[in-house]
Amino acid sequence: MTSITVLSVPVFSTLCNEGFRLRREVFIVEQDVPADMEFDEDDLTAFHFVAIVSGEVCGTLRVIHAEDCVKIGRVVVSLPWRGNGVASAMIRQAMDAHKDVRENRFYLTAQSDKTAMYERFGFKAYGDEFFEVGIPHYAMRNY
């Protein structure tokens, strides 16, 4: 396996913009999420991470410091790299970088078919399954 490099990148930097391009490719084109629902004002203040393999941005996510927890969101991996540990590497790095914020309390909403990956990081689903932009999700937290 080629090594995965995960970096925290400033919003609108070249690498962050590659992450935004990837979000458009996967969420808007592949999963049919409306463009006006994919990008929002939280992108301006979020902490952005990208995963790089062989010089290519192949994953991204964002971290938001919410009032009572740290929210991980917009987790995406390009199709050729899915199943190769890219999302796990990004989650691990994001949680490690923000573990001292909000008493290590992390929250996310996961597409229902992705919950097992988050469970490996201590997340547990709670509440009923719900639809977000037409895709089934569960709310998950590690606390």
Side-chain angles (χ1 to χ4, degrees):
M1 170 71 192
T2 306
S3 70
I4 301 166
T5 302
V6 178
L7 301 172
S8 178
V9 297
V11 68
F12 300 128
S13 65
T14 301
L15 288 173
C16 186
N17 286 340
E18 279 297 302
F20 288 162
R21 180 199 55 74
L22 184 57
R23 281 172 49 186
R24 276 190 296 280
E25 177 184 307
V26 174
F27 290 132
I28 296 170
V29 176
E30 181 183 326
Q31 298 183 353
D32 207 27
V33 172
D36 63 339
M37 296 183 78
E38 172 51 30
F39 296 99
D40 60 26
E41 64 279 353
D42 287 335
D43 282 318
L44 300 175
T45 56
F47 298 87
H48 297 273
F49 288 80
V50 295
I52 301 168
V53 177
S54 300
E56 171 189 345
V57 171
C58 61
T60 191
L61 63 73
R62 73 180 187 185
V63 172
I64 297 167
H65 292 177
E67 190 172 320
D68 62 347
C69 64
V70 175
K71 184 177 180 190
I72 296 174
R74 304 304 201 269
V75 180
V76 63
V77 175
S78 63
L79 188 57
W81 291 104
R82 291 179 198 161
N84 288 292
V86 173
S88 292
M90 291 189 302
I91 295 292
R92 188 176 304 108
Q93 182 82 13
M95 290 181 77
D96 188 55
H98 295 270
K99 67 184 176 202
D100 295 328
V101 178
R102 310 295 185 263
E103 299 172 3
N104 199 36
R105 295 162 50 103
F106 288 90
Y107 165 87
L108 54 83
T109 60
Q111 292 183 7
S112 296
D113 63 342
K114 310 289 190 301
T115 57
M117 191 267 298
Y118 295 109
E119 288 170 349
R120 292 195 303 265
F121 292 94
F123 286 90
K124 295 199 179 348
Y126 67 97
D128 294 330
E129 184 179 52
F130 62 94
F131 283 83
E132 189 172 339
V133 295
I135 301 168
H137 281 72
Y138 280 100
M140 300 186 81
R141 62 186 175 202
N142 73 339
Y143 55 94

